Amino acid sequence: MKGPTTNRIRRHESDSTVLSGNFAPTALTPAPPPLPVRPPRSLGDFTTAPAEEIIEVTANHFSQSDKEKHKPRRAMRDFLGHLATFPGVTWQERWEASGHDEGQPVGEVAGDDRHQQKRLNCAAGYAFAMRLVRPTLLGFRCNRFSHYAPWFRGVAKDPWLEEFCARADQLPMSQCRRSRAKFDVCCALTVFGIDLADLTPEALLHYAVESRAHGLAGENSRSGSYAGTLAWPILHDMGQFPASAPRSFRGAVTRGQISVEEAVDRHQLRNQEVRDVLVEYIRRRSAGLDYSTLRQLVNLLVRVFWKQIEEINPDQQDLRLSEETFTQWKEWMLVLPNGNPRLDVDGPLMAVRALYLDLQTWAVAEPERWAKWSAPCPVRDADLRWFHLRRRRLQERMVNRTRDRQPLLPVLSQYVNDTWHRLRTMLEAAQQVENGDEFTVDGTTWLRVSTKDQRHNRPPVRAVNRTTGELVHLSRDENIAFWQWAVVETLRLAGLRAEELTDLTHLSVRQYQRSSGEVVALLVISPSKSDRERVIPMSAELFHVIAQIIRRHRNQHGTVPVCARYDLHEKVWSEELPYLFQTFHAASSAACPPPPCGA
């Protein structure tokens, strides 16, 4: 039976047992799918088919008319003639013997003949789409195809794949990015030799990781540094991936919490016995610590303390330190690696002192395990003298930073208000005219211009200043300015911290009706640093800000989207909730820190 409790909501409950699962990784493991028993070949099995039969099938399927049949026929004849020069019984064996899977484009065998290069390149795409040969990822991507997804879809005739492409076409983004999502899936199906029904989350993650390893993910593109980021949420919403899989690609590649052993081994300690002692000690301490505090403990004991002790005295075999060794460590600790003085010298000293005192206490209860490592604590009382004075100085520096910045808060608030209202006025005026028409705002004449991609599902609004020639991305800049205004005003009017701001959801907005019939809007603040839930009566200005946030979500999505938030401190994903501060990225919503202010 538990004892009496206080009127506090605890964020981290202590437990006497240590669960190894607390630090298990949360990411999926990339793995290629198993080869199907019956490979998909909708046009027929051409494993050992004669060249002329393959040529005729290619001409009939990939030509637009009878007059154009000679082009794919000639291209496939040249491609098969090239493969026939290599040993093998099947076309796949000849392809593997050709060496193209190592990254040599098929068109290079034509030398300087560009027309022949183009024909061989197209024929390779036809062969991949027909499942005549199955290339590796590098063997596929070293060739360039401008229409591979339509080729593959025309051959596969897979209703499930067509459903995926239809959903991709509905994404509110440019045609280029939508085509990229469809290409990634068709490429993965080709490389793995499977249908879409056999594509697993682990397989798509394997394709993304391999593309990144070969430099094929487009690190400089807006889609991110991984391939398949746009395809992932579509497949999840279709039900292709199990419900246990992360809904976003970021959730699949996020490492999450790591084990104590891995956290310690990152610092590559020489003495394995001391390493084992530190691992077991930290694991026992982890029962009553949250993850961020645990990482700080590992940093202080392993990197700051013992790793440096090994640098000072490589022959140190146990925790019994000489006065000279510990003195050198204290001198090193006073200065940071960048040459600046360490402001918090008590943190490492207190962690080391707790280590030695805990081991001495445990050695009495478990001498067979800890007696060997019990040693006099090198941290003397004199080392911690004036601890409370240094702590007060630290708090004074924190208060001084707030005091210095407080007079600038009205300036920042006025700036974000003026910026958003100016851009909102320009955006509303631009939306009233067509592309190529002029409009005037505050005496300045602007020309609305079109985007490069006219097939964008939600074409962004852009305008050019007729006087200066400045191009302004109105829809993008207005959206950034709005969220900057919402963040600053919510923090200012509600008195929240950044962690509390990101925890706000649509469910945080409540109302209370007084006996007189007056309705008071309330903002419920979830427990975080203080472990205490708060309820704030909203002023008219704060209620206006929250209402504007909810209205923007409803205008863009019909409702406040439900999404998960990644805790950067605890390294875990939250439950899916309608967070107020979230962004739409890579075809899915994600609660994340708001964009920085441009003031």
Side-chain angles (χ1 to χ4, degrees), residues 452-467:
K452 295 181 180 179
D453 188 357
Q454 293 301 313
R455 294 173 293 177
H456 199 296
N457 282 348
R458 292 183 183 177
V461 179
R462 301 178 180 179
V464 174
N465 190 317
R466 299 293 286 173
T467 303

Side-chain angles (χ1 to χ4, degrees), residues 250 480 483-484 487 491 497-503 563-569 573 579-585 590-597:
R250 182 190 174 193
I480 295 176
W483 288 110
Q484 290 176 352
V487 168
L491 291 175
R497 296 190 306 275
E499 296 84 357
E500 295 173 334
L501 180 81
T502 56
D503 281 337
C563 64
R565 184 179 69 85
Y566 185 67
D567 192 328
L568 295 176
H569 299 287
W573 290 90
Y579 288 100
L580 294 181
F581 293 89
Q582 58 176 279
T583 58
F584 186 85
H585 177 70
C592 60
C597 295

